[in-house]
Amino acid sequence: MDYGGGYSTTSYGAQGGAGGGGFMGGSQGGSQGAAGKGTYGKDTLRPVTIKQVLDAQQPHPDAEFKIDDVEITQVSFVGQIRNISTQTTNITYKLDDGTGTIEVKQWIDADATMDTTSDSAPSKPKLVENEWARVWGRLKAFNNKRHVGAHVIRPVADKMEITYHLLEATFVHLYFVKGPLDQIKAEGGGANGNAGEVGYGGGGDTGMNGGQMPNVSVAARRVYQTLKDSPQNNEGLHVQNVAALVGMNVADVKKAGDELLSHSMIFTTVDDDTWAVLEF
Amino acid sequence: MASEATPRVNAKYLDSFTNQTVRILGKVVSLRGETATIDANGTINVQLNRDAHLQLNNAVEVVGKVQQDLSVKVFQATDFGSNIDFIAVEAVVDATHRYKEIFYDSND
């Protein structure tokens, strides 16, 4: 369940930074530079279906795309290669994952082109039509046509990766639409009989609840929920009490608390380790 | 707009997808020249095309059109090897239809 946390925190920042910053020496820098700067440090790498990429909203040109109302920077997906077209400056792959089809462009690094003909080439796994590939990249719009600028594209060796990816994309989609898994379990447990549709209603509430907590980890959400729900006087709760109630160790609770403090969601009362929920 | 999506289905969903192009991941249980039977939460008869090379007992992913008699006319078949966890595959089919908003456009 801790697994979910990664998508809402900035833990991907470092990785995303590598892609956003050093990527391909500016051949695509034009549109990316301005938009990229604003999101530096909150870069995300999100598993998606191609349909989600095609349905992504762009509030205005040059703005970051949004999926489920959450900005996306890097995305990752799988797809069956329908077509490969080698241009002078890039290789364009047409990928189909069963939910839609999109073009993926990988720019050819002029300095590295020699490698493709040299002896090092055979060691590089081959991308062939009708085989599956995984892509990491950034969604772009050019003349109203969308494509993905690939940082990496590689063949899928184990076909279970496709199944895994689709489930992961579903999980992340539900995370953003309905809120974290543990929250749904706690608050939506009653609606189990009709998990499909009625559960969605319950999810709406938790989604809103989660909406007020942008970019906090699952641990922070749990601590917040505990502070909110536990009986207490106006001094709030001490870290030790919170740790006992949530069943986490003190160090983790402190970390979660720091996160909540930095978002002004809680405040310290009698000392630094006693917190109460900041309510308006 | 005609949807390019090929929804992932199994035997249980065939009757709601007649005349549509779907994607089925199943296990090859018998091969009879032009036709074959695959198991995807129930058996499905498939009509093969010339360049489909199915391997008995291996998993195969077919893209094809569901006929009136609930057989599937194969456009394309990809061998998925012998190491497929069909419980996970079922979960994907379930998710596809439960949360179709990220998988395919439907008319309802």
Side-chain angles (χ1 to χ4, degrees):
Chain A
M1 236 163 272
D2 286 331
Y3 184 65
Y7 298 105
S8 62
T9 66
T10 54
S11 59
Y12 279 117
Q15 194 176 350
F23 175 53
M24 293 295 171
S27 53
Q28 298 176 279
S31 63
Q32 184 182 325
K37 220 171 273 171
T39 57
Y40 194 80
K42 55 172 183 157
D43 256 2
T44 55
L45 173 63
R46 180 166 172 186
V48 293
T49 64
I50 291 176
K51 180 172 193 292
Q52 285 180 290
V53 174
L54 297 172
D55 289 349
Q57 302 287 319
Q58 192 178 30
H60 56 89
D62 286 349
E64 292 288 341
F65 284 95
K66 284 185 168 185
I67 295 178
D68 298 331
D69 236 17
V70 180
E71 280 189 2
I72 51 162
T73 41
Q74 333 275 335
V75 292
S76 173
F77 55 90
V78 296
Q80 196 165 17
I81 303 172
R82 292 290 176 219
N83 185 265
I84 302 176
S85 146
T86 307
Q87 321 276 335
T88 47
T89 56
N90 70 79
I91 305 174
T92 301
Y93 302 90
K94 204 165 197 180
L95 256 58
D96 171 7
D97 70 348
T99 73
T101 306
I102 195 163
E103 283 190 347
V104 175
K105 288 182 196 291
Q106 186 166 46
W107 297 90
I108 297 168
D109 186 348
D111 299 329
T113 33
M114 286 304 149
D115 290 347
T116 56
T117 51
S118 73
D119 293 341
S120 67
S123 65
K124 216 180 155 195
K126 279 219 189 76
L127 292 158
V128 290
E129 283 179 20
N130 290 332
E131 266 309 324
W132 284 78
R134 179 181 278 269
V135 174
W136 288 265
R138 194 183 273 264
L139 176 57
K140 319 241 173 222
F142 187 69
N143 288 342
N144 284 326
K145 202 168 168 243
R146 288 181 184 186
H147 73 268
V148 169
H151 304 173
V152 178
I153 175 164
R154 64 145 172 82
V156 166
D158 180 347
K159 294 292 193 294
M160 283 309 290
E161 183 175 345
I162 301 159
T163 296
Y164 156 76
H165 171 79
L166 294 168
L167 292 175
E168 191 187 24
T170 308
F171 174 78
V172 176
H173 164 66
L174 294 176
Y175 178 93
F176 284 120
V177 174
K178 297 193 179 191
L181 196 56
D182 48 358
Q183 211 172 2
I184 293 172
K185 274 198 183 141
E187 299 181 27
N192 262 345
N194 301 313
E197 296 304 322
V198 177
Y200 195 83
D205 294 339
T206 59
M208 230 164 63
N209 204 337
Q212 294 165 1
M213 302 188 210
N215 291 326
V216 300
S217 65
V218 169
R221 283 171 202 258
R222 286 172 62 190
V223 168
Y224 183 84
Q225 210 60 41
T226 305
L227 285 168
K228 209 173 166 195
D229 297 344
S230 307
Q232 56 196 274
N233 58 23
N234 58 6
E235 286 178 9
L237 287 176
H238 189 265
V239 170
Q240 301 281 359
N241 296 344
V242 179
L245 286 165
V246 202
M248 287 163 46
N249 68 47
V250 174
D252 287 343
V253 173
K254 280 194 179 175
K255 228 173 110 190
D258 285 342
E259 220 178 302
L260 294 168
L261 285 166
S262 72
H263 282 92
S264 303
M265 291 164 66
I266 60 172
F267 64 103
T268 58
T269 57
V270 289
D271 60 44
D272 281 353
D273 289 338
T274 309
W275 306 322
V277 166
L278 187 58
E279 276 175 316
F280 300 101
Chain B
M1 182 184 108
S3 171
E4 288 183 86
T6 49
R8 287 177 169 77
V9 302
N10 58 36
K12 304 282 179 285
Y13 287 88
L14 286 180
D15 57 357
S16 33
F17 284 88
T18 45
N19 291 321
Q20 292 185 55
T21 306
V22 296
R23 198 175 274 265
I24 301 162
L25 178 46
K27 187 177 185 168
V28 182
V29 290
S30 77
L31 274 170
R32 300 173 302 274
E34 298 280 289
T35 62
T37 306
I38 61 175
D39 179 15
N41 203 9
T43 55
I44 301 171
N45 288 315
V46 297
Q47 307 162 31
L48 300 174
N49 62 2
R50 225 165 270 160
D51 37 60
H53 299 291
L54 271 55
Q55 281 208 52
L56 201 58
N57 293 324
N58 263 17
V60 67
E61 186 182 62
V62 300
V63 176
K65 193 169 187 180
V66 184
Q67 308 295 302
Q68 288 300 335
D69 65 357
L70 302 191
S71 68
V72 174
K73 190 172 163 56
V74 173
F75 299 147
Q76 190 207 33
T78 312
D79 184 68
F80 266 35
S82 55
N83 199 20
I84 291 295
D85 175 357
F86 283 101
I87 294 169
V89 171
E90 280 315 302
V92 170
V93 172
D94 181 64
T96 296
H97 302 283
R98 196 184 290 265
Y99 309 111
K100 56 182 80 149
E101 65 270 20
I102 68 165
F103 291 102
Y104 67 98
D105 289 315
S106 70
N107 300 322
D108 50 59

